[in-house]
């Protein structure tokens, strides 16, 4: 058997300077560049998915509600159906309404780890629901069992955009008494005073394309407290990139397979 060279484990010789722990500068530089590139790709994916520069950096309905966000994410897909076929699926969104069209694993995570409920979420609707086609500014849209979380509807441009806003604890629900008009305001004020919250808008936008197609976009803009939550912005952005695009694709499939509204 060949004699082992000092500093090796396999019997293959290595340069003596490597054996003494002196890694070549070129190897260090290559590792740093690779790490920097991977970080850049992860950051880009966390803040934008499926959108061009114009869509990622342009102004959209709802941007006015949080003028200087600490976080902004924009996702998009193309739908082979006109906006009037897509809009009814957006109008009926909400827990206890048409659902959020999110993957089942997201629903299970939210149910068990955020809301502490063991039974499964209601399945998202696979058909249009006439009883939930009305959505208006001021509505409270449920986002969990017993209004454990909720959205306020801030803007509705029928056939074009719906904008929600929610202030909630990042780890658990913030239940309200839906029979008490003052309950949402109290809950939001308590979260702000406690100093741990995420305040975000969620805008779903439809832009018509030639050939009876639609660009379906979703944008999230947020501010938060305490500032330490910033360390979660990258992993949360990557999480959003996964389930956010899955949600948009689920809406697209439904709109592409549905008959026109009213027929």
């Amino acid at each position: 058997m060949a004699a082992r060279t000092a500093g090796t484990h396999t019997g293959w010789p290595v340069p003596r300077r490597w054996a003494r722990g002196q890694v070549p500068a070129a190897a260090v530089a290559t590792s740093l560049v690779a790490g920097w590139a991977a970080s850049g790709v992860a950051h880009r994916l966390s803040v934008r998915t499926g959108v061009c520069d114009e869509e990622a950096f342009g102004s959209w309905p709802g941007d006015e509600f949080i003028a200087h966000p600490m976080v902004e994410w924009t996702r998009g897909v193309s739908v082979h159906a006109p906006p009037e076929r897509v809009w009814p699926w957006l109008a009926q969104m909400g827990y206890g309404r048409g659902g959020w069209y999110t993957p089942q694993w997201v629903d299970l995570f939210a149910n068990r780890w955020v809301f502490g409920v063991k039974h499964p979420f209601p399945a998202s609707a696979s058909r249009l629901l006439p009883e939930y086609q009305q959505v208006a500014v001021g509505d409270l849209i449920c986002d969990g069992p017993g209004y454990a979380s909720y959205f306020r509807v801030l803007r509705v441009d029928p056939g074009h955009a719906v904008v929600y806003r929610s202030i909630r604890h990042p780890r658990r629900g913030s239940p309200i008494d839906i029979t008490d008009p003052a309950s949402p305001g109290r809950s939001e004020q308590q979260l702000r005073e406690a100093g741990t919250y995420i305040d975000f808008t969620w805008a779903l936008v439809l832009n018509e394309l030639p050939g009876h197609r639609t660009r379906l976009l979703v944008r999230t803009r947020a501010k938060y407290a305490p500032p330490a939550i910033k360390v979660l912005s990258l992993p949360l952005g990557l999480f959003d990139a996964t389930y956010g695009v899955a949600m948009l694709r689920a809406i697209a499939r439904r709109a592409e397979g549905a008959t026109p509204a009213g027929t």
Side-chain angles (χ1 to χ4, degrees):
M1 180 180 295
R4 291 181 180 272
T5 302
T8 71
H9 297 284
T10 63
W12 293 95
V14 298
R16 291 186 178 277
R17 65 180 182 277
W18 287 35
R20 293 195 300 270
Q22 298 176 5
V23 180
V28 174
T30 299
S31 297
L32 290 175
V33 169
W36 174 82
S39 175
V41 170
H43 174 73
R44 179 185 174 92
L45 181 61
S46 74
V47 299
R48 55 181 289 190
T49 313
V51 293
C52 64
D53 287 349
E54 181 181 359
E55 291 170 329
F57 301 120
S59 296
W60 297 109
D63 286 358
E64 66 272 21
F65 297 113
I66 296 182
H68 304 288
M70 301 164 78
V71 169
E72 179 178 279
W73 302 326
T74 308
R75 323 288 178 198
V77 299
S78 294
V79 186
H80 294 280
E84 60 266 25
R85 292 268 295 275
V86 185
W87 175 255
W89 297 98
L90 303 189
Q92 69 183 28
M93 290 177 75
Y95 184 92
R97 292 164 57 92
W100 299 112
Y101 316 116
T102 45
Q104 186 179 33
W105 65 267
V106 174
D107 294 342
L108 290 173
F109 172 82
N111 240 21
R112 295 182 181 179
W113 300 107
V114 179
F115 302 127
V117 178
K118 294 184 178 180
H119 60 76
F121 261 36
S124 294
S126 57
R127 62 183 180 87
L128 295 178
L129 304 173
E131 64 271 30
Y132 295 124
Q133 286 304 307
Q134 300 300 317
V135 59
V137 172
D139 286 352
L140 293 181
I141 303 297
C142 186
D143 187 28
Y147 282 83
S149 290
Y150 63 94
F151 290 96
R152 291 181 183 269
V153 179
L154 298 188
R155 178 170 173 174
V156 179
D157 301 333
H160 176 52
V162 58
V163 181
Y164 307 96
R165 187 171 189 169
S166 185
I167 302 173
R168 60 183 67 184
H169 193 279
R171 172 61 183 83
R172 53 179 170 75
S174 305
I176 59 170
D177 179 0
I178 192 62
T179 65
D180 179 1
S183 182
R186 284 199 304 268
S187 175
E188 294 163 8
Q189 184 63 28
Q190 289 169 359
L191 285 168
R192 291 191 179 97
E193 291 175 352
T196 302
Y197 64 87
I198 298 177
D199 177 5
F200 67 99
T201 57
W202 200 44
L204 290 139
V205 179
L206 303 176
N207 287 325
E208 188 172 7
L209 295 175
H212 303 287
R213 296 180 302 128
T214 303
R215 283 293 287 167
L216 170 58
L217 304 166
V218 60
R219 171 170 285 176
T220 304
R221 288 162 67 92
K223 55 186 180 180
Y224 50 78
I229 291 178
K230 182 178 181 180
V231 301
L232 299 176
S233 60
L234 179 61
L236 287 177
L238 294 173
F239 176 79
D240 183 81
T242 302
Y243 93 86
V245 172
M247 178 193 72
L248 296 181
R249 288 175 176 166
I251 295 171
R253 288 193 300 271
R254 286 165 167 80
E256 290 166 351
T259 55
T263 63

